Amino acid sequence: MNSFSERQQVFFSDSFGACHLLQPVVERSPDAFFTTGDDPITQQYWAKEHGLPASTPLPQILLSQIEHHRTEIFYNLDPVRYGNDFVSKLPGTVKRSIAWRAAPSGNVDFGAYGLLVCNFPTITADYRSRGWRAEYFAPSHDPAMDNYSANRIRPVDVLFVGGYSRHHRRRSEILNAVSELRRDFQVVYHLDRSRLTRIAESPLGWLMPLNEHRRPRDIRAVSQPPVFGRELYQAISQAKIVLNGAVDMAGSDRGNMRCWEALGCGALMVSDSGNYPDGMINGTSIITYDSPRSAVTTIRSLLAEETKLSEIALAGNTMIRSRYNKKAQWENFTQLCN
């Protein structure tokens, strides 16, 4: 990889974060310019190709890219890194500045952006309470998932993919309960462990008082390294059920990225009860649980009724491909820009 375009192609081919990419970006429209502003190698390639010194700071490279493209709408998925100070320096061609932010941000000020978007209603309500314009906007189905959803041979009964730390207490309870099913079923967890969890489970860490940071024995027994991008799609394509659980900060809102990935790759999503995006309906396109023990009972019942399991998984996949396709997402985005 010796050029900006080659680095971009590698990024696109891996599908990392593809549910957030808008239709013109996916279709490589000349009207759209996309870059990974936090990747110094990719950005330095662009800088070199356009006569900028290799030492040019990342924010300056991004500003140069926007100016070179004559961008009219700046859509940013990383407003914490590129915040108000950056927005104030945008070239005059930019008519709209829009940021996706789907997590609590403390006292961070995003007020320089013209619009904040995400698919968590309580978060958008919080933005509005601060005097900022905020609207609901959802991720979309990645068409690359279709090749994975078509797989019918799924040897993994239950799959979980996600982060693990002491801050995921509710998630840890669910994972620990469901991991007991490993005695009767194929259960696989791809866990991205926190730094403290990795230290606590190291040979030296076992000699230290770090028990609260270690995963329970049953969870460790089914754990494998984390997966992302196409490796994540491949893992889901091998699973009948994808176990999901909101992080503790989410309140009653639901709609984390695993929803789009699980349904998009053809698995049945079993997730905690709450307020889900339109189309994600308990008993129709997804299955929800109320507690760790009910999750175990629900999964056992589903695995005993594979016809029902397959029917709901298919309904979920059909729904996500139609309701949340790239065309629909782009139409919603253009409406927000008016």
Side-chain angles (χ1 to χ4, degrees), residues 19-20 22 75-79 97-105 110 113-128 132-140 249-250 253-257 260 275-278 324 329 332-333 336:
C19 293
H20 287 299
L22 301 175
Y75 181 41
N76 182 18
L77 300 177
D78 191 4
S97 57
I98 303 173
W100 167 280
R101 179 64 179 172
S105 306
F110 299 125
Y113 279 92
L115 174 65
L116 298 170
V117 297
C118 76
N119 64 309
F120 290 89
T122 55
I123 293 178
T124 57
D126 177 66
Y127 293 153
R128 290 169 184 160
W132 306 332
R133 184 189 171 202
E135 299 291 345
Y136 186 94
F137 184 61
S140 62
M249 66 84 186
D253 285 348
R254 300 291 180 264
N256 62 330
M257 290 307 301
W260 273 262
N275 300 322
Y276 279 86
D278 289 346
Y324 293 99
Q329 184 194 41
N332 291 335
F333 186 83
L336 293 175

Side-chain angles (χ1 to χ4, degrees), residues 110-184:
F110 299 125
Y113 279 92
L115 174 65
L116 298 170
V117 297
C118 76
N119 64 309
F120 290 89
T122 55
I123 293 178
T124 57
D126 177 66
Y127 293 153
R128 290 169 184 160
S129 73
R130 303 189 192 196
W132 306 332
R133 184 189 171 202
E135 299 291 345
Y136 186 94
F137 184 61
S140 62
H141 174 69
D142 177 12
M145 294 176 177
D146 294 345
N147 289 332
Y148 297 87
S149 65
N151 184 43
R152 296 292 176 264
I153 302 174
R154 295 178 177 249
V156 175
D157 295 303
V158 183
L159 175 75
F160 176 84
V161 182
Y164 186 94
S165 76
R166 64 186 178 91
H167 299 294
H168 297 94
R169 295 190 177 183
R170 181 168 59 184
R171 175 179 290 179
S172 178
E173 292 174 359
I174 299 294
L175 294 179
N176 197 32
V178 173
S179 65
E180 298 173 8
L181 291 171
R182 69 188 178 90
R183 297 173 178 83
D184 301 311

Side-chain angles (χ1 to χ4, degrees), residues 64-83:
S64 298
Q65 290 168 326
I66 294 169
E67 184 174 8
H68 182 267
H69 179 251
R70 299 191 62 79
T71 296
E72 296 184 9
I73 299 172
F74 174 56
Y75 181 41
N76 182 18
L77 300 177
D78 191 4
V80 173
R81 183 183 302 272
Y82 294 106

Side-chain angles (χ1 to χ4, degrees), residues 3 22 68 84 96 119 130 143-144 163 196 225 240 274-275 295 337:
S3 69
L22 301 175
H68 182 267
N84 286 356
R96 298 280 190 278
N119 64 309
R130 303 189 192 196
L196 274 174
K240 299 180 182 74
N275 300 322
C337 292

Side-chain angles (χ1 to χ4, degrees), residues 15-20 100 119-120 139-141 145 159-164 168 171 175 188-192 226-229 231-233 235-237 239 241-247 254-272 276-277 280 285-286 289 316 319-320:
S15 290
F16 182 81
C19 293
H20 287 299
W100 167 280
N119 64 309
F120 290 89
S140 62
H141 174 69
M145 294 176 177
L159 175 75
F160 176 84
V161 182
Y164 186 94
H168 297 94
R171 175 179 290 179
L175 294 179
V188 175
Y189 293 168
H190 289 281
L191 299 182
D192 189 8
V227 289
F228 305 96
E231 289 187 350
L232 169 61
Y233 291 3
I236 296 176
S237 77
I241 290 173
V242 168
L243 177 66
N244 187 40
V247 295
R254 300 291 180 264
N256 62 330
M257 290 307 301
R258 200 66 69 243
C259 297
W260 273 262
E261 292 157 349
L263 300 181
C265 291
L268 169 60
M269 184 177 72
V270 176
S271 191
D272 49 344
Y276 279 86
M280 299 183 192
S285 55
I286 65 172
Y289 57 82
M319 182 278 297
I320 208 80

Side-chain angles (χ1 to χ4, degrees), residues 207-256:
L207 302 176
M208 303 170 68
L210 297 172
N211 191 56
E212 67 172 338
H213 298 286
R214 299 187 189 104
R215 296 165 297 169
R217 181 181 61 185
D218 281 335
I219 292 181
R220 294 199 306 272
V222 299
S223 293
Q224 297 183 17
V227 289
F228 305 96
R230 290 298 183 102
E231 289 187 350
L232 169 61
Y233 291 3
Q234 177 64 23
I236 296 176
S237 77
Q238 300 299 301
K240 299 180 182 74
I241 290 173
V242 168
L243 177 66
N244 187 40
V247 295
D248 294 350
M249 66 84 186
S252 61
D253 285 348
R254 300 291 180 264
N256 62 330

